Amino acid sequence: MSFLDISHLEKSFGSNRVVKDFNLAVEKGEFISLLGPSGCGKTTVLRMVAGFESPSTGVIRIGGVDVVGTRPNQRNIGMVFQAYALFPNMTVAQNVGFGLKIKGAGRDEITARVAEMLKLIGLPDKGAAYPFQLSGGQQQRVALARALAPKPQVLLLDEPLSALDAKVRVSLRTEIRAIQRELGITTIFVTHDQEEALSISDRIVVMNGGIADQVGTPFEIYNRPTTRFVAQFVGQLNTFSAEVLDGPAGRVSVAGVPVTLPVAVAGARVDLAARPEAVRLGRGAGDDVVLPATVREVHFLGSVIRITAEIAGGRVALDTFNRPDAPPPVIGAAVELSLAARDLIPL
Ligand code: ADP
Ligand code: MG
């Protein structure tokens, strides 16, 4: 059995079913993200794991023990919220030591643990400061230290970075992941930001309308989405309509070119998706689909250049790496785009 086991979890508020047959098995030390749009039930799942909300039905086991029915403070869980929920009238040290004090730890133990935690989050000298004297990023690091100080067996993070500005958000997510790895603590991280989830998770649960649509590694979620929702929510996507041909399943015609898809498809027509980096400017070796196109937009992003081109029946975004010896095409240029059938994702 997994360390944290959630099975057939459901939650309704009145007649509103906000979590539907949610299943998840988390291994000890794993970093799992719940990813989905606002209102899809992420916080509700987290609050049920923490014990702030009771499930309508379902089982939550931590370390083999069913915790449904036990109070939050008996679950040994650490939680960090989006808004800095620090106690404003307490110093940083008092905030970090709060959970230990509640547990009845002695003063020396608290002092030692607080120092250890402040060192862990890179704020060893801020113990005497008050929350208002800290930046947003520092406050969230203190909130993390406060959650970790009592040595919880599970860490729950509910959009802990969304109130921070972009640069701090990126550096702090890397830091959170490093601390999580160092402690080996089992973690569930909630976010609506797909890039954030892709960059730091061992596995991602993509949620849609209270349902876990797909569970997989970032690589699997991005490259082999199993539902149209996952394909469209995670990453950029180009779509092509293809005609399904007679013969082996997976044989289709894209822009008049017969190709074999990596998976079987049925029906008369199918929508196919291709990530921007799967589309090449010019003909790549081994590419089976070649489309004439006109360049409409060129965005020089630094290491990557994103080009939008018009093909018969729509627009295609493609990414190429910057090469100092090859300037990007000009707007209005007639070009060929190409892609390999194995990179096409049926929707
Ligand atoms: P997310 O965190 O993904 O944005 P939530 O779990 O907060 O989503 O909410 C999921 C749905 O449940 C929303 O429609 C929300 O309005 C509803 N909801 C959440 N908490 C309550 C509550 N205490 N009472 C009634 N409805 C709620
Ligand atoms: Mg939420």
Side-chain angles (χ1 to χ4, degrees):
M1 184 184 286
S2 303
F3 182 66
L4 169 61
D5 213 68
I6 303 175
S7 63
H8 304 297
L9 192 67
E10 300 248 352
K11 180 69 184 178
S12 297
F13 293 107
S15 60
N16 189 12
R17 267 175 87 209
V18 302
V19 176
K20 300 165 196 162
D21 197 19
F22 185 92
N23 297 283
L24 181 65
V26 185
E27 299 306 324
K28 202 173 170 96
E30 233 188 331
F31 192 108
I32 297 277
S33 291
L34 303 186
L35 170 67
S38 177
C40 74
K42 306 180 296 294
T43 294
T44 305
V45 169
L46 217 59
R47 287 173 57 81
M48 287 192 279
V49 175
F52 299 128
E53 208 76 73
S54 50
S56 301
T57 58
V59 179
I60 301 170
R61 285 195 197 85
I62 302 176
V65 179
D66 184 359
V67 296
V68 173
T70 62
R71 301 157 75 83
N73 57 12
Q74 293 166 330
R75 295 192 187 189
N76 198 10
I77 277 171
M79 191 149 175
V80 177
F81 304 90
Q82 173 180 347
Y84 328 115
L86 298 176
F87 306 116
N89 55 335
M90 289 186 190
T91 64
V92 164
Q94 287 166 336
N95 267 282
V96 175
F98 183 78
L100 293 167
K101 199 172 170 192
I102 294 289
K103 275 185 156 181
R107 182 191 287 215
D108 291 351
E109 187 192 340
I110 295 177
T111 307
R113 184 72 179 154
V114 167
E116 192 187 336
M117 287 294 104
L118 292 182
K119 192 163 162 245
L120 183 72
I121 59 164
L123 297 174
D125 304 324
K126 292 288 183 193
Y130 282 87
F132 75 89
Q133 296 171 306
L134 305 180
S135 69
Q138 289 174 329
Q139 288 186 46
Q140 278 308 64
R141 281 194 271 170
V142 173
L144 179 66
R146 186 178 62 178
L148 291 171
K151 301 187 178 170
Q153 44 180 354
V154 176
L155 177 65
L156 304 177
L157 307 166
D158 193 355
E159 311 227 15
L161 306 173
S162 28
L164 305 171
D165 63 52
K167 211 164 182 175
V168 179
R169 210 155 63 213
V170 171
S171 67
L172 195 50
R173 81 182 182 211
T174 310
E175 210 174 311
I176 287 177
R177 180 58 158 144
I179 289 171
Q180 182 272 338
R181 257 192 233 279
E182 187 178 332
L183 301 179
I185 185 165
T186 311
T187 301
I188 304 183
F189 178 93
V190 162
T191 181
H192 63 267
D193 181 333
Q194 46 99 13
E195 186 204 307
E196 201 167 278
L198 289 171
S199 74
I200 59 171
S201 314
D202 288 317
R203 286 188 300 150
I204 299 172
V205 181
V206 184
M207 289 185 69
N208 180 22
I211 293 171
D213 246 30
Q214 186 174 357
V215 182
T217 63
F219 186 86
E220 289 163 350
I221 295 281
Y222 185 83
N223 291 306
R224 291 283 168 252
T226 54
T227 71
R228 181 181 284 256
F229 175 80
V230 174
Q232 287 172 338
F233 190 74
V234 180
Q236 277 262 345
L237 211 60
N238 297 300
T239 49
F240 307 91
S241 184
E243 195 182 326
V244 177
L245 300 174
D246 288 337
R251 202 71 186 144
V252 300
S253 164
V254 185
V257 184
V259 296
T260 304
L261 298 175
V263 296
V265 288
R269 299 199 72 79
V270 64
D271 284 340
L272 302 174
R275 298 294 186 193
E277 67 276 20
V279 183
R280 270 163 293 279
L281 199 56
R283 291 180 191 225
D287 283 353
D288 356 47
V289 183
V290 179
L291 306 163
T294 308
V295 174
R296 291 297 177 211
E297 286 174 45
V298 177
H299 294 284
F300 190 83
L301 305 174
S303 63
V304 167
I305 303 166
R306 167 146 309 175
I307 296 165
T308 308
E310 197 167 322
I311 58 166
R315 287 196 162 205
V316 172
L318 66 115
D319 287 348
T320 62
F321 275 116
N322 171 49
R323 291 210 333 260
D325 58 341
V330 294
I331 290 169
V335 294
E336 277 182 332
L337 308 184
S338 66
L339 51 95
R342 63 170 182 279
D343 293 334
L344 288 166
I345 307 162
L347 294 177

